Amino acid sequence: LLKELEIPYPKFTSVETAEEAITACKTLGFPLLVRPSYVLGGQSMKIVINEEELEHQVIKILGQMPDNKILLDHFLSGAIEAEVDAICDGDDSYIIGIMEHIEPAGIHSGDSYAVLPSFDLSAHVLEKIKEYTTKIAKKLQVKGLINIQFAIKNETVYVIEANPRASRTVPFIAKAYQEPYVKYATELMLGVKKIKDYQFKPVQK
């Protein structure tokens, strides 16, 4: 989907064996972020810098979760991480908050600190984040909430992942901006309201 929308993303693949991982790393390049799929909280996630570390981590994950696929992502060293929460009605979307992480990309979002509004993102980066969020939400026809995580390196905005669901940051944004965004999202999910029906308070971006 990101390729179709011409949105940058780190090179990635999924593997099921250590042999497949070693073959894949030659195309993806080091460092690599290695993690099992379908786990929460960054469980068993590790950044590896060579084939020996990669093989060891893949074997370790397979020993703990033998039937799980393993995700390999090229890790963008020194990147800044940011994330967005937005509400959508299937056609239009409204970004309720753009947060910038204090820690560099690579620290799981559940263990990191996010600042609202962002403090060090350029106007160009903020514009790209808004553009990509709008494109992804519309293409997925999201009704309700979506959370998208980004890595920014050399002013290029990469999408790490997009989750069409409520995120743990939504209540934080609703409190900070004193807007009942969860209520709005529920009304959009039920189809009783559209984005254009709301008059949002101006917020600091």
Side-chain angles (χ1 to χ4, degrees):
L1 178 63
L2 294 174
K3 189 174 182 180
E4 179 187 336
L5 295 175
E6 298 182 338
I7 295 175
Y9 55 90
K11 291 186 289 186
F12 73 96
T13 191
S14 63
V15 299
E16 296 182 354
T17 66
E19 290 77 13
E20 288 178 4
I22 296 299
T23 301
C25 78
K26 301 183 189 309
T27 302
L28 298 177
F30 289 103
L32 282 174
L33 183 66
V34 184
R35 53 189 171 145
S37 60
Y38 304 114
V39 294
L40 296 174
Q43 180 187 351
S44 298
M45 183 173 83
K46 187 175 181 182
I47 297 164
V48 302
I49 60 171
N50 55 46
E51 291 187 11
E52 183 180 352
E53 286 190 0
L54 173 61
E55 184 176 20
H56 179 267
Q57 183 63 12
V58 169
I59 291 171
K60 180 181 175 183
I61 292 173
L62 290 174
Q64 296 168 342
M65 301 170 238
D67 297 323
N68 212 335
K69 283 193 174 183
I70 297 169
L71 306 177
L72 304 181
D73 298 87
H74 178 73
F75 180 67
L76 300 167
S77 302
I80 297 166
E81 188 165 346
E83 62 182 294
V84 161
D85 283 308
I87 54 175
C88 323
D89 62 18
D91 297 307
D92 297 319
S93 58
Y94 176 79
I95 293 174
I96 66 173
I98 299 175
M99 295 148 284
E100 183 176 353
H101 290 205
I102 292 176
E103 295 88 352
I107 304 298
H108 188 269
S109 58
D111 298 317
S112 64
Y113 288 89
V115 176
L116 176 78
S118 61
F119 59 91
D120 197 32
L121 301 180
S122 68
H124 166 76
V125 166
L126 289 171
E127 195 55 43
K128 285 297 178 185
I129 285 174
K130 293 173 186 175
E131 176 191 334
Y132 297 161
T133 299
T134 301
K135 282 184 174 180
I136 291 168
K138 185 168 185 177
K139 188 68 177 179
L140 292 176
Q141 293 187 301
V142 174
K143 292 183 180 179
L145 283 153
I146 187 169
N147 173 270
I148 304 179
Q149 297 174 19
F150 303 90
I152 299 102
K153 185 169 183 178
N154 300 328
E155 288 294 287
T156 299
V157 178
Y158 300 86
V159 169
I160 301 174
E161 60 181 61
N163 299 296
R165 56 161 172 77
S167 173
R168 73 194 98 196
T169 45
V170 172
F172 160 56
I173 296 171
K175 269 190 175 181
Y177 290 150
Q178 298 185 339
E179 282 272 21
Y181 290 123
V182 175
K183 176 187 174 185
Y184 299 160
T186 304
E187 291 171 341
L188 296 172
M189 291 171 73
L190 294 171
V192 298
K193 290 279 186 76
K194 301 283 279 185
I195 291 290
K196 63 184 179 184
D197 295 326
Y198 298 106
Q199 291 185 324
F200 300 107
K201 300 174 191 172
V203 295
Q204 184 187 0
K205 295 292 184 186

